[in-house]
Amino acid sequence: MRIIKRDQIIYQFSPENKPVARVKPGETIIVETDDCFKSQLKSEKDLVTEIDFSEVNPATGPVEVEGAKPGDILAVDIQDIELGETGFMVTIPDEGAFGARITHPKTKVVPVSESTFRFNASLSFPVHPMIGVIGVSPEDEAVPCGEIGDHGGNMDAKVITSGATLYFKVRREGGMIALGDVHAGMGDGEAVICGVEITARVRMKLELIRSPAFVPERPVVEYNDLCVTIGHGASLDEAAHVALVDMLELLRYKTGMEEDEISMLISAVGDLKVCQIVDPQKTARVEMPKAVLPDPAAFVFP
Ligand code: CA
Ligand code: ZN
């Protein structure tokens, strides 16, 4: 199986990026990802305020999918996320939800095993591996990997995990997918500004859905018995609104129901959740049970 190495990275999603690998539709690959600090933190003595900030939030890639063109959907099956052994968390003065109360930066080393992460001597939790940053090439602008756009990017959505299928609107030839910023765990909101940041090996299958009748503008995720839209905006309200309208449009396409009926359906069983509130662009998601779809057992696309 082809392995894309951890040092083949970008710091922005951009149409100017050159592919580090070219794969056929249907191919499964392994992508090694660095942590969001690019492994510049090694111990609790290393402070995030002292690292080189031009080297944060790397994403591995981009990988070109042969034949992908605008109008297609790139479907990404996240088959497995294998975590490194050490996670890192940080606090930064004036950053995150508690920034005004944080006087000194701090680094926490979080040992991670296959099944748990140890937050401190008395608190351990089951790991929830998730991919913070994943996206395709934007149409014509360059977006830093730490930011979010319609192409994806730093969405920090907990549903982007093993077993999830992601659907991206292809905006440039080849799709050009890249990913990074894996977390061993993260609470919705990512309140302090990070999850348990860690290196990883992600096994994923890249599939192409050619010229489907409906192409969502922003990423859609299928996970367990849920379909999920992810919105972004300058405020949480705005992000929520975008995710809700995206879900409305997805359901209108999938069910053919009237818009007012769908609005009530979302209000009845759709869960609006926070992804993260700590970046300049916030992200929110709507989780809808696939049971509302005509064929709940089938994939959302095609
Ligand atoms: Ca992130
Ligand atoms: Zn992160």
Side-chain angles (χ1 to χ4, degrees), residues 36 156 181 183 190 197:
C36 70
D156 284 321
D181 186 32
H183 301 158
E190 204 185 22
E197 307 291 335

Side-chain angles (χ1 to χ4, degrees), residues 30 45-46 59-60 62 68 81 105-106 114 119 141 144 151 165 183 204 223 228 235 238 244 247 251 264 286:
I30 288 175
K45 287 198 209 87
D46 298 332
T60 306
I81 303 175
K106 210 175 159 185
E114 214 168 290
F119 181 78
E141 68 252 85
H151 69 291
T165 300
H183 301 158
M204 59 188 202
Y223 173 57
V228 185
S235 67
E238 212 178 295
L244 285 163
M247 182 55 76
L251 293 183
M264 287 188 278
V286 175

Side-chain angles (χ1 to χ4, degrees), residues 36 57 132-133 146 154-156 181 183 186 190 193 197 276 279:
C36 70
N57 279 312
V133 171
N154 193 7
M155 296 179 284
D156 284 321
D181 186 32
H183 301 158
M186 186 196 91
E190 204 185 22
I193 199 129
E197 307 291 335
Q276 60 73 32
D279 295 329

